[in-house]
Amino acid sequence: MKDLKRDLQSIPVRLDPEFRGRLGQSREKMWKDPSGYAPGIPIVLFHGPPGTGKTFAMKVLAAQAGLQSWTLDVVGLQERSWAPEKLFADILQKIEGMEGAIIFMDECESFFSRREVLSQYASVYVQGQKKMITHFIRWAEGLETKRDWEARRVILCLATNMPNELDLAIRDRARVTVQFPLPIASQCSHFWAAHAKHLSHREIANLGSASEGLSFRSLNSIAEKLCILDAEKAPPPVHRPGEPSSAAFKAEIQRCKAGGKQLWQERIALYYQVAKEVLWQLAQGMYLAKNVRYIARL
């Protein structure tokens, strides 16, 4: 957690004019030709499981640095555009004209998938996606534009739940990479101390241990649900200071964990069914191709 805070706090500092002046002095002192340094757009990479605070951290970062936050719908760009390459090029051109902004791209692995994986497919869509990745790398590197991104105070923030699926060239260009892990037991206890303050210290510690493995988003959903259930009861909550009980919290935590496990099982079953269908179609295609070759020889 200390490393996470330190990494996040270091980002707005790098946009400070005084710091940039000291950084320039360091380059003058250490480099033979600092004038040849032409950095591209500052890229920050957030990665971690869903619900661990990546979007919230982006908003905090924007507030601390005094930047206007923008969110780029990466999935929608691919699904709802008939010409994603042209639209993406137009978006990059729009970003070039921005000042004092942070652009957030969530689920970026769906857009910047590893090209060695994409190379296994030959569809027009996949080839177009590879071209977009190459175009983005050239743009981000500053090869197609000479913008002084640091002076304009523009940051590109990428977020992903699956960093290993992200193209290596994209990961390497991130100046700051911040990992958002799931909270440990002590952090969960700290959360419950703020959201179940009517319970004893021992009960809160037990809830923290029981909550390990859940994200802060899940914990917040549990806390909100129990508030709603408590408000629906009679007499009013102020006359029931001991409720909801620790047992009620634990029961809801177990339901949440069971629901997550069931969701993964359903996803695995779905992936298996899709793979089975694809393999069946592939076998049918090979059978038809064999028959066509046989007929052609007649």
Side-chain angles (χ1 to χ4, degrees):
M1 183 60 72
K2 291 182 179 179
D3 293 340
L4 175 60
K5 290 182 179 179
R6 184 185 65 247
D7 292 338
L8 290 175
Q9 291 171 352
S10 70
I11 298 172
V13 172
R14 301 184 185 198
L15 299 176
D16 183 68
E18 182 182 351
F19 174 81
R20 290 177 53 243
R22 296 199 306 269
L23 182 60
Q25 293 175 2
S26 296
R27 290 170 182 157
E28 290 281 351
K29 178 182 70 175
M30 300 170 62
W31 294 1
K32 286 186 178 181
D33 185 19
S35 62
Y37 178 67
I41 186 170
I43 296 178
V44 177
L45 176 61
F46 291 167
H47 68 91
T52 49
K54 297 184 291 296
T55 304
F56 179 75
M58 181 275 297
K59 295 178 181 178
V60 172
L61 174 61
Q64 289 182 343
L67 304 175
Q68 185 175 4
S69 61
W70 299 84
T71 300
L72 179 58
D73 185 3
V74 177
V75 178
L77 175 64
Q78 293 176 294
E79 293 180 349
R80 293 191 290 271
S81 174
W82 62 271
E85 292 179 60
K86 184 180 183 304
L87 180 57
F88 187 56
D90 292 342
I91 291 173
L92 295 182
Q93 191 173 8
K94 291 285 186 182
I95 294 174
E96 290 178 15
M98 291 183 174
E99 291 187 19
I102 180 169
I103 299 92
F104 186 64
M105 297 178 64
D106 200 5
E107 299 183 20
C108 63
E109 76 284 347
S110 64
F111 201 81
F112 298 132
S113 302
R114 290 185 298 160
R115 281 172 290 177
E116 62 268 27
V117 176
L118 295 176
S119 298
Q120 300 174 15
Y121 305 93
S123 69
V124 174
Y125 170 80
V126 169
Q127 295 304 315
Q129 190 171 5
K130 289 172 61 179
K131 289 180 181 178
M132 283 191 289
I133 295 174
T134 302
H135 174 63
F136 172 80
I137 291 173
R138 290 178 56 84
W139 176 85
E141 197 70 22
L143 300 177
E144 298 184 358
T145 177
K146 298 298 181 182
R147 299 287 181 182
D148 187 352
W149 294 107
E150 294 180 350
R152 297 171 73 89
R153 303 180 73 247
V154 177
I155 295 178
L156 182 61
C157 183
L158 308 180
T160 176
N161 304 328
M162 299 178 288
N164 293 331
E165 299 300 319
L166 198 60
D167 191 89
L168 183 59
I170 303 295
R171 283 187 284 164
D172 285 347
R173 281 162 175 77
R175 299 192 191 179
V176 179
T177 300
V178 184
Q179 181 181 9
F180 290 76
L182 288 170
I184 59 177
S186 60
Q187 294 166 346
C188 293
S189 297
H190 185 74
F191 175 89
W192 289 122
H195 294 81
K197 63 180 184 178
H198 63 289
L199 299 180
S200 67
H201 293 297
R202 177 178 292 183
E203 289 173 325
I204 287 175
N206 290 336
L207 285 182
S209 299
S211 302
E212 196 167 13
L214 295 178
S215 67
F216 281 122
R217 182 186 298 160
S218 298
L219 297 184
N220 193 68
S221 298
I222 293 171
E224 178 66 17
K225 181 177 181 179
L226 286 171
C227 282
I228 293 173
L229 293 176
D230 187 53
E232 290 175 347
K233 292 183 178 179
V238 292
H239 299 300
R240 292 179 283 105
E243 295 185 18
S245 65
S246 175
F249 278 93
K250 284 186 177 180
E252 197 58 42
I253 289 170
Q254 293 303 319
R255 285 195 204 95
C256 186
K257 286 188 173 182
K261 184 177 180 180
Q262 182 181 0
L263 179 61
W264 277 110
Q265 290 175 344
E266 291 176 356
R267 285 183 178 178
I268 292 173
L270 177 61
Y271 294 154
Y272 173 78
Q273 186 63 33
V274 170
K276 185 177 178 181
E277 182 71 19
V278 169
L279 290 174
W280 183 85
Q281 292 181 1
L282 179 61
Q284 287 292 105
M286 292 177 66
Y287 174 76
L288 292 174
K290 182 179 178 181
N291 288 341
V292 168
R293 287 196 301 269
Y294 175 75
I295 293 173
R297 287 197 298 265
L298 295 178

